[in-house]
Amino acid sequence: MSAAAVPAVGGVSPRRAWVTDLPVLAVAVVWGASYLAAKGITTTHTVVAVLVLRFAIVLPVLVAVGWRKLRALTGAQWRGAGVLGLVLSGIFLLETYGVVHTSATNAGLIISLTMIFTPLAEAAVTRVRPSAGFVAAAGLSVAGVVLLTQGGGFTSPSAGDLLMLLAALARTVHVLAMARIKAVRDADSLSLTTVQLGGAVAVFAVLAALPGTGASPWSTAAGFGAREWAGLVFLSVFCTLFAFFVQMWSLRRTSPSRVSLLLGTEPLWAAAVGISLGGEHLGVLGVAGAVLVLAGTAWGRRAASEGVRVRS
């Protein structure tokens, strides 16, 4: 979409709007690339260790930047954020184990089903029936995933595909929990993120200390070469710190719907990076599935937005 085709946001010129859009689009790109990066530095035996290392690097920075507001959180806000941190730890475990056992392309496309699952779950909770258009879009996305997860023919999805599907469901639970836990609604976003990541790191650290959960963070770090460290820094600095601060910065300068639309291109970048840099191949069925997933999620997002406007 060209800048001329995009209406100004809040009286800001199209050129100025794109100055805000480009960093957000960069976040979508690095998130799309994160699946291949995680796949490149992680094995089944190092998932927990890599997660400890990834977030232990960024957590001190977040604490230092937001220390004053972090101390101002109430007990209820700490507890609410802690619960969200437990859910977040499950999301990262499912995603990381999932990407180890499937392609980066599949991982990025399947996780995009969160955009379909979330409105469906919200409709179930609020007892508001989704529109016919949204239901059709959801069906299109599910059909796309069925095709996407096939190799040379119609076979059972891989363990990684199923784990990514569970991760999409867990992301949905996380979004709904953030909306329904009253204590965190008015919490500072940086402080909320810091507590959540801290809770997730605590879970990963406990798991790493248990026998049978794979290599320790220290032995994993000691075995890393330059390529693995580059991948870890990419995941920590760009996919976490950079992404979070860009979202905070952009939401003060443009609309949430515009940010959501740009971040919704993540699965496109995941597929592009997986195919171009990871040497992955979808095949005819996979390409058809990818197209259906992308079309279904885009249609579903638009139908969900229109439904919200109508109810309002």
Side-chain angles (χ1 to χ4, degrees), residues 16-193:
R16 181 73 177 273
W18 272 105
V19 172
T20 305
D21 289 348
L22 286 176
V24 180
L25 190 61
V27 171
V29 173
V30 298
W31 276 356
S34 67
Y35 300 100
L36 186 62
K39 190 175 181 66
I41 68 172
T42 313
T43 68
T44 304
H45 299 291
T46 62
V47 167
V48 176
V50 167
L51 287 172
V52 171
L53 294 170
R54 174 181 175 178
F55 295 109
I57 290 174
V58 302
L59 195 58
V61 178
L62 293 175
V63 171
V65 171
W67 178 246
R68 182 176 299 177
K69 291 184 178 180
L70 196 61
R71 291 181 61 187
L73 291 178
T74 65
Q77 289 172 330
W78 274 91
R79 290 189 294 273
V83 171
L84 293 173
L86 292 177
V87 179
L88 192 64
S89 67
I91 294 171
F92 281 116
L93 285 167
L94 288 168
E95 286 184 357
T96 311
Y97 275 112
V99 79
V100 168
H101 295 289
T102 190
S103 67
T105 302
N106 276 25
L109 290 166
I110 293 173
I111 202 68
S112 70
L113 288 177
T114 303
M115 290 181 282
I116 294 295
F117 292 157
T118 301
L120 285 176
E122 188 177 15
V125 171
T126 59
R127 300 182 184 277
V128 176
R129 181 177 298 179
S131 67
F134 183 83
V135 173
L140 193 66
S141 297
V142 171
V145 169
V146 171
L147 291 177
L148 179 68
T149 55
Q150 306 311 308
F154 285 91
T155 57
S156 299
S158 70
D161 294 332
L162 294 175
L163 287 171
M164 294 307 300
L165 192 60
L166 290 174
L169 291 170
R171 279 195 184 190
T172 299
V173 171
H174 187 258
V175 171
L176 291 181
M178 286 189 69
R180 299 184 73 83
I181 297 178
K182 294 181 180 180
V184 303
R185 290 179 186 172
D186 299 323
D188 172 66
S189 56
L190 175 59
S191 301
L192 181 61
T193 300

